[in-house]
Amino acid sequence: RLRQAGVPARLSYDAACILRPGELGRFAARARYAQIGVEAEQAAVISLRSFDKMYPVDNQDFLHRIVRLCQLFTQSGLTPVVLMQSDASGSDNDRAMLKELMQRVPTVRYIDPFALALYENPWETAIGVLQFARVAVAVRYHTGVFRALGGRAAYNLFYSNKGADLVSRLGMPGSSIENFDPDRDFAAILASSEQAFDIATVRSQLKQDFEHAWSAPRTRRAA
């Protein structure tokens, strides 16, 4: 749309892709898994969120399908682990959905990277949690980005164009929440655990795009 309007736009990638997690985050992630009694290699990490008018997804229908997904993980010998990413006000909060999920599926565990964060950065812990997990299902957009930072692809359940972009432009596996069927898609979700992701190429492109934008001529306006 911008190009059609005559704007020389250049589409890049999320700036978070430039992040480089350190060893402390990986150590913290291992410690968090130990705290909940789960072997990371047997963890199926999922992110959650509630929806509202901005993203019109039926919360109870979504929860019903996530419940079924967690049951399938449990039946296959994996432990479903929810990664807490938001504890904000309103619908942008993971706790209400998590509480209902744990009531319906007792095998569900969760990791909150913000809780008890003393020396590590919570974002590094989250990346480590996703990097070590057997499989990751990304409802939240940055779950997919953080999994990619560890060189692995998440299975993306997207509800907006930013999540769809991870699938269509970056080639990650996934489905829209609207079309998601846990029984039908379960084999593809398990298969995603073997899919690597070339984050180095994305980082390189981000650097080029930033340098291009920074060096572009800018018009100054008088105050």
Side-chain angles (χ1 to χ4, degrees), residues 30 33 38-46 72-73 75-81 111 127-137 147 151-155 173 186-196:
R30 289 289 190 187
Y33 276 119
V38 175
E39 292 287 338
E41 291 74 14
Q42 295 303 311
V45 175
I46 305 166
L72 290 169
F73 279 136
Q75 292 168 13
S76 67
L78 301 177
T79 302
V81 177
I111 291 175
I127 291 169
V129 167
L130 289 160
Q131 179 181 359
F132 295 136
R134 170 75 173 277
V135 63
V137 177
R147 174 81 161 176
R152 305 177 71 185
Y155 190 92
F186 191 63
I189 291 171
L190 291 182
S192 71
S193 67
E194 304 300 325
Q195 184 168 334

Side-chain angles (χ1 to χ4, degrees), residues 32-211:
R32 297 303 179 92
Y33 276 119
Q35 286 171 357
I36 62 172
V38 175
E39 292 287 338
E41 291 74 14
Q42 295 303 311
V45 175
I46 305 166
S47 56
L48 295 175
R49 65 160 298 145
S50 297
F51 298 94
D52 54 19
K53 292 180 180 179
M54 180 178 291
Y55 301 116
V57 174
D58 184 292
N59 281 304
Q60 286 305 309
D61 178 63
F62 167 68
L63 178 62
H64 174 76
R65 286 186 276 180
I66 293 298
V67 164
R68 178 59 181 154
L69 177 62
C70 290
Q71 291 171 340
L72 290 169
F73 279 136
T74 302
Q75 292 168 13
S76 67
L78 301 177
T79 302
V81 177
V82 171
L83 177 64
M84 291 277 297
Q85 286 185 235
S86 179
D87 193 8
S89 60
S91 61
D92 196 16
N93 189 307
D94 300 343
R95 290 194 181 278
M97 189 71 73
L98 172 62
K99 182 179 179 181
E100 285 196 62
L101 179 61
M102 294 183 73
Q103 287 173 346
R104 299 191 193 187
V105 189
T107 56
V108 170
R109 300 291 181 265
Y110 77 93
I111 291 175
D112 182 353
F114 296 95
L116 304 175
L118 299 177
Y119 303 106
E120 76 275 14
N121 290 314
W123 63 268
E124 287 189 287
T125 302
I127 291 169
V129 167
L130 289 160
Q131 179 181 359
F132 295 136
R134 170 75 173 277
V135 63
V137 177
V139 174
R140 288 191 172 274
Y141 168 78
H142 279 101
T143 308
V145 173
F146 284 0
R147 174 81 161 176
L149 286 170
R152 305 177 71 185
Y155 190 92
N156 293 272
L157 294 181
F158 56 84
Y159 52 87
S160 65
N161 15 354
K162 64 181 180 181
D165 189 60
L166 295 178
V167 175
S168 62
R169 194 156 62 103
L170 290 179
M172 294 185 189
S175 162
S176 68
I177 285 180
E178 180 183 5
N179 294 324
F180 174 54
D181 181 328
D183 288 283
R184 182 197 64 209
D185 299 334
F186 191 63
I189 291 171
L190 291 182
S192 71
S193 67
E194 304 300 325
Q195 184 168 334
F197 186 83
D198 182 11
I199 191 64
T201 298
V202 174
R203 285 191 178 120
S204 176
Q205 186 63 54
L206 260 171
K207 183 174 183 293
Q208 292 177 37
D209 292 337
F210 179 83
E211 291 173 347

